[in-house]
Amino acid sequence: PYGWSGRILWADLSRGEFREWRYPGEMARLFIGGRGFAAKILWEFLEPGADPLGPRNLFIAAVGPITGLPGPNTGKLVVAAKSPLTGGYGDGNIGSWAAVQLRAAGWDAIVVEGAAEKPSILVVEDDKAWLEPAEDLWGLDTFQAYDRLVERYGRDAGILLIGPAGENLVRFATVVAQKGRSGGRPGLGAVMGSKRLKAIVVRGSRRPEVFDRDALMKAASEAIRAVRQSPSYGFWMRQGTMATVEWAQEASVLPAYNFREGVFEGYRGISGSYMEKIEVDLRSCPLCVMPCGHVIEDEEGRRVELDYENVAMLGSNLGISRLEEAAVLNRLADLYGLDTISLGGTLGYALEAAERGKLELDAGWGETRKIAGLVQDIALRRGVGDLLAEGSARASRKIGETWYAMHVKGLEVSAYDCHAAPGMALAYATSPIGAHHKDAWLIAWEVQHGRMEYSREKVRKLIELQRLRGGLFETAVACRFPVVETGIDPEYFIRLLRAATGLDITMEYMNEVADRVYALIRMIWVREHGGWSIEMDMPPERWFREPLTKGPLKGAKLDRDRFLEMLRMYYEERGWAPNGVPLPETLRRLGLEDAVPLAEKHAQRG
Ligand code: PTT
Ligand code: SF4
């Protein structure tokens, strides 16, 4: 086959066994790769009710047909598992040489089950796989461990690893690649930790086979030229995602003080414009043609790669108005392997709970040094850090105040306040992994199109974005920024897919793949939770309860009834029942017959 190797590496760490699974060709056609493969594998092989931090959970790393090929920004891979943070489907998308190497080794995915007895490294070299001891690395931070792994396996090795947070099963620990590339927000690092897997190291020596190399090269060079000629390319190269700080402030969506407000008085000090003045380096994922890893030196003179989400969640959301201070927290998150968004959301919740006298905490808004201490406590599960390592949903239930815990399904909201953005709130509510912006960054469109409206048009736009971002880019597996940031035509990626696979793939075809993957992921959630209700898709109570008190949109908040109406429209558009379960006929149309019995049991019509 072209585009796929047709092989998945199955590693059982309990038994120390490694086997090749030649999966059916239909799986490639229906699910493409990446998130699609992850969803299919979890649906078929994950034991329902398995403890996410137990040996029966499956940890998956998957590439897609265009990963690692010529073309803009194809050095990405998807990591997925049942999430210890949400109890549902969880995934993330990381830029890493491991993506390129996995393809060169001739595997479309790695599935890891069981748990090793001792800290281990899974080494994959072309067709062979084995475990090596990692006792000497256990306890090391991700930078130290990365350096040791490079020494041991060489500069060209693809490396995915965890830090102390993953080892200590912090529920929002991530998987880290290179220094400062991190993914798998819903606790994928803890899943690796529970398997005592410090790292996965991959090397391959083959060139992936493609159907039509000339067509591939042509599409790739045209796409790269389009990126470089884009009017937004220059500004992107200067600020990357950091440009969003000033934009978010202007649009009143910059989270401040645990999402109490959408504007922050100190936004200039954490902005992209300020960053430009102190930037010391620019890094990127492999094969990237528009690098966005802007590096500055933090308060302590150490190098940190920044992103908007990190800076907003660990800056304005915690009342911190100096970039160099937010960077201290960002760096700690990278070192320990903690998700910056969930960390910022959980810390924001804790600071507010302390302010309300519900939690004893020796830290307040803007107190960076003390907050940094808390970050360490979380990673090492010390004192109150042990409670906060559970994430804001669990911590808030324990504390007994849940309405200002800013999460959906247990995953903390990314850095866009939604008091005045019902569509973005719906994007969080319906994201397949909990509140993440990656599937639908509706906010930019929404602020210009009837911002406070609850309309079907908005619902349709949301689904359009979910199909493109959560479908095409998560299954073909490449970075979505060439399309969503420099605005090149997504058709370039369809051409790459066609040239790689030889299949007659169109955008409509990929939209259907996206709908199939969405429906199947929803069925995984339904199975894990023993049913579903519309309340389980609701955004945080704060946005309905308490209006903004500052900025041009002062007084704005969401309307519960109108939001529910829009959520029902969303289900309708997707062919899901009014309680959020895909209808049997929808599943049949998408070729998901094996999920029909579960849907028949749980879908409540009207
Ligand atoms: C992503 C999430 C994001 S989304 C950010 S900043 W962003 C945070 N980054 C973190 C970090 O850094 N360190 C850390 N310890 N935790 C972090 N948590 C947060 O994780 C990332 C880029 C970005 S930067 C974005 S939007 C795009 N996301 C893509 C995606 O989801 N799919 C895709 N096909 N392409 C994408 N391109 C862009 O990639 P998660 P990365 Mg990340 C330091 O992984 O789990 O999806 O969460 O992977 O290699 O760092 O690239 O303003
Ligand atoms: Fe990585 Fe940024 Fe390049 Fe995308 S644009 S591949 S996230 S460096």
Side-chain angles (χ1 to χ4, degrees), residues 389-412:
E390 296 290 291
S392 64
R394 281 181 176 78
S396 70
R397 284 199 294 271
K398 197 115 186 232
I399 289 167
E401 297 239 304
T402 55
W403 67 273
Y404 54 89
M406 302 304 291
H407 67 88
V408 177
K409 304 182 182 76
L411 183 69
E412 284 73 14

Side-chain angles (χ1 to χ4, degrees), residues 76 91-95 174 180-185 241 285 305 307-310 330 333-334 338-341 436-438 473-474 478-481:
K76 289 254 177 192
D91 72 16
N93 194 306
I94 316 183
T174 51
R181 292 258 144 217
S182 161
R185 290 196 52 211
T241 63
C285 306
E305 191 176 322
D307 260 306
Y308 165 71
E309 302 291 331
N310 306 354
N330 190 157
D334 289 346
L338 288 162
D339 170 44
T340 51
I341 299 174
H436 197 11
H437 61 291
K438 76 170 179 189
F473 287 103
E474 299 311 315
C479 176
R480 62 168 185 262
F481 280 166

Side-chain angles (χ1 to χ4, degrees), residues 154-232:
R155 203 143 272 294
D156 58 337
I159 297 170
L160 299 174
L161 80 165
I162 59 166
E167 296 170 12
N168 294 326
L169 311 183
V170 175
R171 287 185 192 269
F172 48 89
T174 51
V175 178
V176 178
Q178 308 174 206
K179 290 180 180 171
R181 292 258 144 217
S182 161
R185 290 196 52 211
L188 277 289
V191 176
M192 272 181 74
S194 72
K195 300 187 176 303
R196 284 180 279 283
L197 192 56
K198 180 71 179 179
I200 300 176
V201 176
V202 198
R203 296 171 71 144
S205 61
R206 304 183 184 121
R207 188 158 90 151
E209 276 194 57
V210 297
F211 174 71
D212 184 343
R213 196 156 281 274
D214 289 343
L216 181 82
M217 295 313 287
K218 188 161 186 289
S221 61
E222 284 176 27
I224 292 168
R225 197 175 323 125
V227 167
R228 295 204 170 119
Q229 287 173 353
S230 150
S232 42

Side-chain angles (χ1 to χ4, degrees), residues 184-340:
R185 290 196 52 211
L188 277 289
V191 176
M192 272 181 74
S194 72
K195 300 187 176 303
R196 284 180 279 283
L197 192 56
K198 180 71 179 179
I200 300 176
V201 176
V202 198
R203 296 171 71 144
S205 61
R206 304 183 184 121
R207 188 158 90 151
E209 276 194 57
V210 297
F211 174 71
D212 184 343
R213 196 156 281 274
D214 289 343
L216 181 82
M217 295 313 287
K218 188 161 186 289
S221 61
E222 284 176 27
I224 292 168
R225 197 175 323 125
V227 167
R228 295 204 170 119
Q229 287 173 353
S230 150
S232 42
Y233 177 73
F235 186 52
W236 171 262
M237 289 303 292
R238 275 170 43 209
Q239 294 201 0
T241 63
M242 284 293 292
T244 311
V245 176
E246 276 155 287
W247 174 85
Q249 168 78 9
E250 228 165 80
S252 292
V253 298
L254 181 65
Y257 305 100
N258 193 33
F259 291 86
R260 222 180 263 169
E261 307 294 346
V263 290
F264 180 55
E265 59 286 0
Y267 77 96
R268 279 198 190 85
I270 56 167
S271 68
S273 308
Y274 177 66
M275 180 210 67
E276 280 193 61
K277 295 188 194 137
I278 60 169
E279 179 169 4
V280 293
D281 197 7
L282 181 63
R283 295 188 199 144
S284 79
C285 306
L287 311 180
C288 175
V289 299
M290 45 183 283
C292 70
H294 295 273
V295 179
I296 66 157
E297 283 179 358
D298 71 7
E299 195 68 359
E300 295 153 4
R302 301 185 185 177
R303 292 190 165 210
V304 191
E305 191 176 322
L306 301 173
D307 260 306
Y308 165 71
E309 302 291 331
N310 306 354
V311 167
M313 294 306 293
L314 299 171
S316 52
N317 198 47
L318 305 180
I320 293 171
S321 53
R322 288 192 59 232
L323 195 57
E324 295 88 337
E325 288 183 34
V328 168
L329 305 182
N330 190 157
R331 182 162 190 278
L332 287 175
D334 289 346
L335 282 175
Y336 287 114
L338 288 162
D339 170 44
T340 51

Side-chain angles (χ1 to χ4, degrees), residues 328-397:
V328 168
L329 305 182
N330 190 157
R331 182 162 190 278
L332 287 175
D334 289 346
L335 282 175
Y336 287 114
L338 288 162
D339 170 44
T340 51
I341 299 174
S342 285
L343 178 64
T346 303
L347 287 169
Y349 173 81
L351 293 178
E352 180 162 359
E355 194 178 51
R356 292 174 187 273
K358 300 289 176 191
L359 178 70
E360 252 186 70
L361 207 63
D362 179 27
W365 303 113
E367 294 182 342
T368 308
R369 217 162 267 287
K370 288 183 176 171
I371 297 173
L374 273 179
V375 175
Q376 284 165 319
D377 291 343
I378 290 173
L380 303 175
R381 281 191 174 271
R382 289 186 307 218
V384 71
D386 192 36
L387 172 68
L388 302 180
E390 296 290 291
S392 64
R394 281 181 176 78
S396 70
R397 284 199 294 271

Side-chain angles (χ1 to χ4, degrees), residues 73-88:
N73 307 15
T74 60
K76 289 254 177 192
L77 65 74
V78 169
V79 286
K82 177 174 174 179
S83 158
L85 191 60
T86 68

